[in-house]
Amino acid sequence: MDIYKITAFDKKGELLFEDSFEAENDKEAKTIGEKRLEEEGMIDHTHRVVSPRGKLVVFHT
C-alpha cells in the first residue's frame, strides 16, 4: 500500500484541506481521494491527489 496526499485550495491559493490515505494503486487512490473531497465539501475547490512518487492522480482547478 502506498500513501497518497490530498490538498484543496481556495482561489487565493490558501490551503483549505490536507489529508493522507493509503491505496493499492493510482486508480483506487483516485476513487478514494474524490470521495474524501466530496465528504469534506472540497470537490468544487481547486484540489489534487498526489502519489508518493509525485504523480498527479487527480487535479482540478
Side-chain angles (χ1 to χ4, degrees), residues 7-60:
T7 49
F9 304 89
D10 67 12
K11 292 185 187 286
K12 295 179 184 177
E14 298 289 324
L15 183 66
L16 298 174
F17 177 72
E18 185 173 41
D19 196 18
S20 298
F21 63 92
E22 288 187 349
E24 288 285 335
N25 54 48
D26 291 351
K27 185 177 178 181
E28 182 182 36
K30 180 179 179 181
T31 301
I32 293 169
E34 289 175 339
K35 182 178 177 188
R36 288 282 291 130
L37 287 160
E38 287 224 17
E39 291 171 353
E40 296 294 329
M42 296 291 146
I43 199 73
D44 292 328
H45 291 281
T46 298
H47 60 263
R48 64 184 175 202
V49 176
V50 182
S51 78
R53 293 164 296 287
K55 179 182 175 187
L56 283 173
V57 178
V58 174
F59 183 74
H60 171 75

